[in-house]
Amino acid sequence: MPTTTSRRAAVAAASTPDTAPAAPRVKRDRTHYLYLAVIAAVVLGIAVGLIWPDAGVELKPLGTGFVNLIKMMISPIIFCTIVLGIGSVRKAAKVGAVGGIALGYFLVMSLVALTIGLVVGNILHPGDGLHLTNAIKASGHDQVSSDALPPVDFVLSIIPTTFVSAFTEGQVLQTLLIALLAGFALQAMGSVGQPILRGVEHIQRLVFRILAMVMWAAPIGAFGAIAAVVGSAGLDALKSLAVLMLGFYVTCFLFVFVVLGAILRVVAGLNIFLLFKYLAREFLLILSTSSSESALPRLIAKMEHLGVSKPVVGITVPTGYSFNLDGTMIYMTMASLYIADALGTPMSVGEQIPLLLFLLLASKGAAGVSGAGLATLAGGLQSHKPALVDGVGLIVGIDRFMSEARALTNFAGNAVATVLVGTWTKEIDKVRVRQVLAGELPFDETTLLDEGVQPHAEIPGQGGEKELAKA
């Protein structure tokens, strides 16, 4: 027997070199060229915006069209993720715990972001010495959006008109509500609901495959979006507001890598640079489209692949896109102080704190509003301190450039939040996380799913939450 065993081992060892080269994933390599094309498109878009600004502005529909294609996929992806996640959890209380922890964390981090913006804004005083014109005043008032809702109306707006309208109107929180109800219903149905869960799983595969196809239009969208931003703002706006813009970028950088990085290290024991390296393509997508929503579906897929359970991902990510807007918090703080200084009416700390707390609540009512950062700022000032609305026009020219940092910071905050909530609720596979971040388990760019994993095959509840982490 030893001789036979040794011969088999020798044959296996000899055959390994011949079979090993068959492993490379050719299809995945193709997406590498896709994102190189996105980088080239961004550079070309900047050049067009600077050299032919009018032509650059005309290219805006290319970027808008691509972002709309991505948004088209958000509702079905959120629905499938949450239904599959909750439907496979035996204890409904576990889902409630995830939501409660996530909302509590979002509130605390929003206050931290507001405080950091407050400190930096009071140190820089970037608005000193600027002058208003009538045109700038009118531009400021034009930004006041009627779409931002007061708190009570905002809560009521989460309830869709019909079951289907949650998908057709593109409201993330409405989709979240419908998915939660469907997930709990399937959970209560037990084994009878298994065929429905399998059907939803097939739909999820279809939706993610469509998303992978849509991503091939990313270079075109990036080119149009960047050309329009650069062409509409130009260099003059950048020069005159450089202090505010650079101060904002530095503040966001410090918040992400110092504050969020420290929390991630202490709570989850992870290096934030490794996490962001894993999410590099999503950051590039946001940078090229100025929209964090363009990366929402991919964040859901990648967080699941990382090892966070479906319920945690399905609840934390969509809710975070409405309630965990760290970049927007910093932006509103610094912009408010900038405007007050520019108008020659600097606010005392006693005036700043009530305004910022008001903006904290107002930002939740503006979730989902296009250009929510500027619209929320203008609407909040209109309600709390109308005299400052005139100055909003001062930052209109660079708002799109600042929206880049807002979107990147918001995305980073939600990625970190998902890992933290998964750690606190023990709904994360730490071994898989380290394997994924080390590059041992690469993300499948073709399907955006782990096709070999069947997370719902043993659903009647054996194994509990550990089965979810394997998804």
Side-chain angles (χ1 to χ4, degrees):
M1 288 298 295
T3 306
T4 305
T5 304
S6 60
R7 285 177 180 175
R8 288 178 179 173
V11 171
S15 62
T16 301
D18 296 328
T19 56
R25 300 172 176 83
V26 178
K27 290 185 178 180
R28 264 177 217 160
D29 291 340
R30 290 176 58 200
T31 63
H32 175 69
Y33 298 106
L34 166 63
Y35 288 92
L36 289 178
V38 171
I39 295 174
V42 169
V43 174
L44 183 61
I46 292 173
V48 170
L50 290 174
I51 300 172
W52 302 289
D54 292 337
V57 173
E58 294 298 322
L59 293 172
K60 185 178 180 180
L62 294 178
T64 303
F66 173 71
V67 172
N68 287 345
L69 281 173
I70 299 293
K71 288 182 178 180
M72 174 183 72
M73 312 305 301
I74 290 176
S75 289
I77 287 174
I78 290 174
F79 179 81
C80 293
T81 300
I82 296 177
V83 169
L84 290 174
I86 296 178
S88 58
V89 178
R90 292 194 70 182
K91 297 179 181 178
K94 190 70 177 179
V95 178
V98 170
I101 291 173
L103 288 174
Y105 171 79
F106 295 159
L107 178 60
V108 171
M109 292 313 297
S110 293
L111 291 172
V112 171
L114 284 171
T115 302
I116 291 175
L118 188 71
V119 172
V120 175
N122 279 293
I123 292 174
L124 292 180
H125 293 291
D128 291 344
L130 292 178
H131 301 285
L132 285 177
T133 64
N134 290 331
I136 289 178
K137 290 181 181 180
S139 178
H141 285 278
D142 288 342
Q143 301 305 316
V144 179
S145 174
S146 59
D147 294 331
L149 300 173
V152 175
D153 291 340
F154 171 64
V155 173
L156 292 176
S157 71
I158 297 175
I159 304 173
T161 306
T162 67
F163 190 93
V164 179
S165 65
F167 302 94
T168 59
E169 294 178 5
Q171 297 294 328
V172 171
L173 292 180
Q174 290 185 0
T175 306
L176 179 62
L177 175 63
I178 292 296
L180 287 171
L181 294 174
F184 284 126
L186 286 171
Q187 183 187 76
M189 291 169 66
S191 59
V192 178
Q194 299 312 304
I196 300 176
L197 277 177
R198 285 193 288 272
V200 173
E201 192 169 16
H202 288 305
I203 293 174
Q204 184 191 45
R205 285 198 177 94
L206 171 64
V207 171
F208 273 119
R209 182 57 67 96
I210 294 174
L211 177 63
M213 293 165 60
V214 168
M215 291 306 302
W216 285 96
I220 299 173
F223 171 69
I226 290 295
V229 170
V230 176
S232 60
L235 293 177
D236 293 337
L238 301 184
K239 291 177 182 176
S240 63
L241 300 172
V243 175
L244 173 64
M245 191 167 66
L246 292 177
F248 177 60
Y249 269 73
V250 171
T251 304
C252 289
F253 181 88
L254 294 175
F255 175 80
V256 170
F257 290 100
V258 176
V259 178
L260 294 181
I263 296 174
L264 186 65
R265 169 64 73 178
V266 171
V267 175
L270 297 179
N271 187 321
I272 197 169
F273 291 99
L274 289 179
L275 178 63
F276 288 173
K277 179 183 177 182
Y278 172 63
L279 298 171
R281 292 186 172 184
E282 287 66 46
F283 280 111
L284 174 61
L285 186 62
I286 293 170
L287 185 65
S288 60
T289 60
S290 298
S291 171
S292 59
E293 285 188 334
S294 62
L296 190 155
R298 288 180 58 88
L299 179 61
I300 290 175
K302 279 205 161 182
M303 287 293 101
E304 288 183 15
H305 174 75
L306 184 66
V308 185
S309 72
K310 282 181 178 288
V312 171
V313 174
I315 293 172
T316 306
V317 174
T319 309
Y321 263 69
S322 295
F323 292 95
N324 188 37
L325 306 175
D326 298 328
T328 303
M329 297 295 105
I330 297 172
Y331 165 81
M332 290 195 298
T333 308
M334 296 186 66
S336 299
L337 298 180
Y338 170 84
I339 291 169
D341 289 342
L343 295 178
T345 57
M347 292 184 288
S348 64
V349 176
E351 292 177 304
Q352 292 173 17
I353 293 176
L355 171 61
L356 297 177
L357 292 176
F358 178 82
L359 290 173
L360 172 64
L361 296 175
S363 66
K364 311 312 177 193
V369 177
S370 179
L374 192 60
T376 303
L377 175 65
L381 294 177
Q382 175 71 31
S383 302
H384 195 81
K385 199 163 184 178
L388 295 181
V389 178
D390 289 346
V392 174
L394 286 167
I395 59 175
V396 172
I398 62 164
D399 180 68
R400 283 303 300 272
F401 284 95
M402 296 177 75
S403 74
E404 303 275 0
R406 280 203 305 269
L408 291 170
T409 305
N410 291 342
F411 178 83
N414 285 311
V416 171
T418 306
V419 175
L420 295 179
V421 174
T423 302
W424 285 322
T425 57
K426 298 180 181 179
E427 287 283 332
I428 186 170
D429 187 338
K430 293 184 178 181
V431 174
R432 182 182 175 91
V433 169
R434 300 192 184 282
Q435 290 177 325
V436 170
L437 295 184
E440 297 172 11
L441 296 174
F443 181 70
D444 190 343
E445 292 284 349
T446 304
T447 63
L448 307 187
L449 286 169
D450 296 322
E451 292 285 11
V453 178
Q454 299 295 333
H456 306 293
E458 307 175 25
I459 286 178
Q462 302 175 6
E465 284 77 19
K466 287 185 179 179
E467 293 175 3
L468 296 174
K470 295 177 183 177

